[in-house]
Amino acid sequence: MKKSMFWYDLPEELIAQTPIEPRDASRMLCLNRTTGAIQHRHFYDLVDILQPGDLLVMNDSKVLPARLYGQKEGTGGAIEFLLLEQKGPNRWEIICRPGKKAKPGAVFTFGGGKLRATVLECLENGNRVVEFACQGNFFDLLNEIGQMPLPHYIKAKLEDRDRYQTVYARELGSAAAPTAGLHFTPQLLDRLREKGVNTAFITLHVGIGTFRPVKAENIEDHHMHTEHYFLNEETARLINETKKNGGRVIGVGTTSCRTLESVAKQEGCIRACEGYTDIFIYPGFQFEVLDGMITNFHLPESTLIMLVSALAGYEHTMHAYEVAVQERYRFYSFGDAMLIADGI
């Protein structure tokens, strides 16, 4: 398939710059994955749409305040770090700007000297491996001086950093939020559980590669980034029971989808496990676990819109995006939601 097949025109003013309040007041386009039928609802309508015995699988990864602004020791030159992946107790792979300042042996300070970083290695992809040194707990300090790594298309200042976290986030490690979950409130989750809709959690730490564009014109030639996941015994049990009892497994976000389908393909079943996935899901993919998905609206020609097209069908997906633009839905991380399932 050609990358250009997944292009659509989006007016810039439809890119959401701030989150809506309250969280569950966002609009939700409901797409029947079999018929292509579309309904326009609100996120709080999930209580009326989902049925007892359905299962929501959510990603409980928590976003690191992973963007650091500091100075080069000795010269005072400005530097920006973006933490990507922890490689050891005090060792991280990072992106830095400007990169020419960050040669092996260079030292940088952050937070008025509270945190120091020494460059150990320059990687082939241009990233660096650095060693941090600080007094006290690194993550407490990061929470104090770090900033949320908002996507490049969000220009507005985020007044409340918790709005770039899901209400159920607990496992620290992501460089970007699993944004489909941003629409949930504790009250909505309680109402869903009272109705008999079950909830379960996986952990997939979202890497900055989620924003990496597809450069190959033939999408089959694209190489996916790798991300770490964890699926516990309780979640495995709930998924298997839901499938056995005829309920629907609804993945909240593309990260939950990638995790569940990766486990099914790598393990041959759903069971408790952890590992790394570089699964690339695009039309033609055979789903083994997911019956539906809650997601946001994604960038043109991105791996995420390709995944949605695999679940809902290419024609249905691209038509739904055309309708969403016409109806002036809000797009991307702080935008509106989309529910894809049968029976809606």
Side-chain angles (χ1 to χ4, degrees), residues 48 54 155 268:
D48 301 319
D54 286 341
K155 311 299 183 185

Side-chain angles (χ1 to χ4, degrees), residues 171-191:
E171 300 294 337
L172 200 62
S174 278
T179 53
L182 295 178
H183 306 282
F184 285 97
T185 66
Q187 295 78 15
L188 179 59
L189 287 168
D190 287 342
R191 291 173 61 205

Side-chain angles (χ1 to χ4, degrees), residues 193-207:
R193 290 167 181 143
E194 288 169 4
K195 184 176 180 178
V197 176
N198 295 312
T199 57
F201 298 92
I202 56 90
T203 302
L204 181 137
H205 291 314
V206 187

Side-chain angles (χ1 to χ4, degrees), residues 96-324:
C96 62
R97 297 185 182 90
K100 62 183 180 180
K101 295 182 179 180
K103 297 178 181 178
V107 178
F108 300 91
T109 61
F110 305 89
K114 293 180 179 179
L115 182 65
R116 299 176 79 246
T118 303
V119 179
L120 302 181
E121 183 182 0
C122 297
L123 303 178
E124 289 184 4
N125 60 7
N127 297 346
R128 268 59 171 178
V129 176
V130 301
E131 184 98 21
F132 286 104
C134 64
Q135 296 293 323
N137 183 276
F138 172 79
F139 291 102
D140 288 343
L141 184 57
L142 191 64
N143 197 51
E144 176 188 337
I145 66 175
Q147 297 187 22
M148 281 297 183
L150 295 179
H152 62 87
Y153 47 74
I154 294 179
K155 311 299 183 185
K157 182 180 179 182
L158 181 64
E159 298 297 336
D160 179 4
R161 67 163 60 182
D162 285 342
R163 288 301 275 110
Y164 196 58
Q165 302 278 19
T166 62
V167 297
Y168 46 78
R170 56 191 177 196
E171 300 294 337
L172 200 62
S174 278
T179 53
L182 295 178
H183 306 282
F184 285 97
T185 66
Q187 295 78 15
L188 179 59
L189 287 168
D190 287 342
R191 291 173 61 205
L192 286 163
R193 290 167 181 143
E194 288 169 4
K195 184 176 180 178
V197 176
N198 295 312
T199 57
F201 298 92
I202 56 90
T203 302
L204 181 137
H205 291 314
V206 187
I208 205 70
T210 192
F211 300 113
R212 193 176 77 186
V214 176
K215 295 182 179 179
E217 182 54 34
N218 293 314
I219 66 172
E220 295 88 348
D221 297 331
H222 177 71
H223 295 289
M224 283 290 287
H225 57 286
T226 300
E227 293 168 321
H228 183 258
Y229 67 82
F230 175 76
L231 190 154
N232 64 34
E233 291 184 2
E234 174 68 5
T235 295
R237 181 186 66 79
L238 284 167
I239 292 170
N240 289 324
E241 286 185 359
T242 301
K243 302 297 282 188
K244 179 181 177 182
N245 295 332
R248 295 177 295 183
V249 176
I250 309 291
V252 177
T254 57
T255 58
S256 296
C257 174
R258 293 182 70 235
T259 299
L260 297 183
E261 296 300 329
S262 293
V263 171
K265 291 197 177 300
Q266 293 172 11
E267 306 294 328
C269 63
I270 291 294
R271 66 177 186 86
C273 60
E274 68 174 309
Y276 287 86
T277 179
D278 61 356
I279 193 170
F280 183 16
I281 298 175
Y282 53 86
F285 182 87
Q286 297 299 310
F287 287 86
E288 298 182 31
V289 184
L290 266 289
D291 300 297
M293 180 169 61
I294 295 169
T295 188
N296 282 15
F297 293 96
H298 304 293
L299 276 72
E301 298 184 339
S302 65
T303 60
L304 305 180
I305 193 174
M306 294 171 190
L307 186 154
V308 172
S309 298
L311 183 67
Y314 171 78
E315 298 290 347
H316 292 165
T317 299
M318 300 311 293
H319 174 65
Y321 269 66
E322 181 182 345
V323 170

